[in-house]
Amino acid sequence: MKIKIVIVLILSICIQACAQQPKLELDKAYKTKIIESLNNAIQHTGKAMLNNDGMARGNYQMISGVWEEYEPAWHTGQAIYGLLETYEVTKNKSALDHAVRAGKWWIDLQFPKGHKLEGYLNARHGSKLGDLINTTTIADGTPGLFNLSDVTGDKIYADIATDAGAWILDNLYIPKERLSYNIVDAKTGEIWKDRSPHEQHKDVPFDIKHVARPNAEGYLWKDMYTHTGKERYKEAFLEICNKLVDDQSENGWWMDFEPNNPETGKIHGRFNTWNAEALIEAYTLTKEQKYLDAALKTAKALAKVQDKTGVIWYSSYLDGNHDKRSPCGSATSYAGILWLQLYELGITDFENNIKLALDFTLKNQFSIAHTDPNLAGAYYEIRQKAKKDGTFELYYRDIATSFGMRFLSDLYQNAY
């Protein structure tokens, strides 16, 4: 009898908790559209975004019709994350199959035993940075790998992500600064401690923040703590989250760190959201209000730069301007994910922003019948650049589809 009473009480508490968690009201037609949209995105990911080896191709040059490799470890990791979220909603087995294929490519990047970078990942940047490894590329590419281990039951994906994160902590982390060096040369093993490859750091006085960043994106050390139970990873994660709280401006941005630029006032579309997401993870882990307050500042700042059409641009500026050549689907979806995370915590201020982001994402998905198979089913993100030789680049970024899949899947699961 006592056991039955305890069970009833537990069920009652669970029911009350579920009833207290706010849920967005979403029209049934919208939910149908989301499922159709996600299935089209899965098809795009399998046929166009990932190559035969499972690597995310990066940027699709729409004028030349050629894919350009760009931070493939990060792009592939985000593709895995998006596919697994989509698989949970659609139960489309091909989403899981694509995620496993991409995961196998990702773990094959690990430097072997005996190599000077043993345990780290050969996550070369590609594009103009070539063989340089950007720490953020690895850290932010890892959430999908931990999720893949959870879904498949195969620990190898999380284990190799943990090896990489341990290497970062042991070799790149600067405890005094609560930052990690960001650039490692894959060929020589050199850690760049006194120079930066980024244009915005040239011809300006050196600052440690030019070569080292919080690298909280992807909340890698938090996932490592959950995976291994080792306290050192939790402690390191909370240290960098405290750094984020300390360095955040009242306006919600982190202007001291690239790819934000304090000289021009440029605000990167996703970087600040990554930091805020890590802070929500810190709040979930500790229930310390300071983390939630800081994440909320960023959420409010994102709401201010969102266009009335729902889009967030790749580059916005402190003076209120935007680079309107860069409608950024990934930034839009990612802001939507952050607003949803806050909604689930009872902060419902951003309901209209979420719905605007939803409208933008659904309305601007490339048709699955598009004549260019490289674009069919993709979520929209376009950038235009003028080159010194007089030619132009116009390209779609595959990252838009990865974040779009995450956003719509999260929304579907948290709406009624």
Side-chain angles (χ1 to χ4, degrees):
M1 181 63 70
K2 286 183 179 179
I3 293 173
K4 287 183 179 180
I5 291 171
V6 170
I7 292 171
V8 170
L9 285 171
I10 291 171
L11 287 173
S12 176
I13 291 168
C14 290
I15 290 167
Q16 288 176 26
C18 291
Q20 290 169 1
Q21 182 178 332
K23 281 184 173 286
L24 274 164
E25 185 176 355
L26 204 60
D27 186 275
K28 284 185 178 179
Y30 258 130
K31 298 199 84 171
T32 301
K33 285 180 184 177
I34 287 173
I35 293 296
E36 180 183 355
S37 174
L38 288 173
N39 279 314
N40 289 342
I42 292 168
Q43 185 173 323
H44 165 76
T45 305
K47 287 189 173 182
M49 185 199 298
L50 301 178
N51 69 10
N52 291 335
D53 295 326
M55 181 191 82
R57 288 174 165 171
N59 297 335
Y60 178 61
Q61 304 291 349
M62 295 171 68
I63 295 174
S64 64
V66 174
W67 285 90
E68 179 190 39
E69 183 180 315
Y70 189 90
E71 290 194 279
W74 164 51
H75 282 234
T76 305
Q78 287 294 343
I80 294 167
Y81 198 170
L83 284 164
L84 292 175
E85 294 284 292
T86 303
Y87 172 64
E88 189 172 346
V89 169
T90 64
K91 306 304 178 188
N92 185 333
K93 180 66 163 47
S94 62
L96 178 58
D97 293 341
H98 298 325
V100 169
R101 178 161 56 98
K104 288 178 178 177
W105 175 86
W106 200 94
I107 62 175
D108 279 346
L109 297 177
Q110 187 178 52
F111 286 107
K113 288 184 178 180
H115 193 281
K116 63 184 72 175
L117 298 177
E118 178 184 334
Y120 201 42
L121 287 182
N122 189 7
R124 61 187 301 278
H125 189 284
S127 189
K128 62 182 180 181
L129 296 192
D131 289 322
L132 295 179
I133 301 169
N134 186 323
T135 307
T136 312
T137 295
I138 295 172
D140 188 46
T142 56
L145 278 298
F146 288 97
N147 292 350
L148 189 56
S149 282
D150 288 341
V151 173
T152 63
D154 189 342
K155 292 184 178 181
I156 190 170
Y157 306 107
D159 286 346
I160 289 181
T162 296
D163 288 345
W167 196 95
I168 294 169
L169 184 55
D170 292 339
N171 296 276
L172 302 181
Y173 187 53
I174 317 167
K176 177 183 171 184
E177 302 287 348
R178 295 177 295 174
L179 303 172
S180 296
Y181 289 115
N182 207 40
I183 299 295
V184 180
D185 191 320
K187 287 187 175 179
T188 66
E190 179 191 3
I191 298 167
W192 286 28
K193 298 181 179 181
D194 57 2
R195 66 194 191 281
S196 167
H198 303 295
E199 290 289 333
Q200 72 187 64
H201 297 146
K202 292 182 179 178
D203 303 320
V204 296
F206 175 79
D207 188 300
I208 189 66
K209 292 177 180 178
H210 295 170
V211 296
R213 304 168 73 245
N215 281 313
E217 296 99 319
Y219 43 89
L220 170 56
W221 291 336
K222 178 262 179 183
D223 275 344
M224 289 163 56
Y225 165 67
T226 303
H227 180 58
T228 67
K230 293 183 179 180
E231 287 290 328
R232 71 184 290 247
Y233 300 142
K234 176 184 177 181
E235 291 168 4
F237 174 65
L238 293 178
E239 280 180 7
I240 60 175
C241 287
N242 288 333
K243 176 70 171 174
L244 291 178
V245 172
D246 292 345
D247 285 358
Q248 185 183 37
S249 301
E250 276 304 311
N251 60 18
W253 309 123
W254 286 270
M255 295 306 298
D256 288 345
F257 299 102
E258 56 87 13
N260 289 342
N261 190 331
E263 298 298 318
T264 63
K266 186 189 83 169
I267 303 157
H268 186 269
R270 288 181 310 270
F271 166 60
N272 305 279
T273 315
W274 269 310
N275 285 346
E277 185 178 37
L279 289 168
I280 288 179
E281 292 290 332
Y283 172 73
T284 302
L285 198 60
T286 66
K287 300 305 178 188
E288 290 190 42
Q289 188 66 30
K290 64 182 179 181
Y291 300 125
L292 184 59
D293 290 344
L296 183 57
K297 282 183 187 176
T298 304
K300 289 177 178 177
L302 288 164
K304 288 180 181 177
V305 300
Q306 185 183 34
D307 187 83
K308 63 183 179 181
T309 63
V311 72
I312 289 178
W313 310 97
Y314 183 82
S315 297
S316 296
Y317 293 87
L318 291 175
D319 62 6
N321 286 318
H322 312 275
D323 182 349
K324 293 194 174 181
R325 298 169 303 171
S326 62
C328 191
S330 60
T332 305
S333 291
Y334 200 17
I337 291 166
L338 180 67
W339 292 324
L340 271 171
Q341 289 172 337
L342 290 168
Y343 200 99
E344 291 164 32
L345 292 170
I347 300 170
T348 58
D349 308 37
F350 307 103
E351 183 169 338
N352 187 57
N353 300 98
I354 294 168
K355 289 181 176 178
L356 283 172
L358 169 63
D359 281 341
F360 173 85
T361 303
L362 288 176
K363 286 178 180 177
N364 291 290
Q365 185 177 22
F366 287 97
S367 167
I368 196 64
H370 197 285
T371 53
D372 187 340
N374 293 290
L375 297 173
Y379 293 117
Y380 183 75
E381 177 166 332
I382 298 295
R383 292 193 69 194
Q384 176 188 316
K385 287 184 178 180
K387 300 178 75 173
K388 291 180 180 178
D389 64 1
T391 60
F392 283 83
E393 288 184 344
L394 180 68
Y395 55 88
Y396 149 74
R397 304 195 76 199
D398 64 14
I399 203 71
T401 300
S402 298
F403 279 99
M405 288 191 290
R406 278 188 63 192
F407 173 47
L408 294 186
S409 298
D410 288 355
L411 184 55
Y412 188 91
Q413 292 181 87
N414 291 285
Y416 67 88

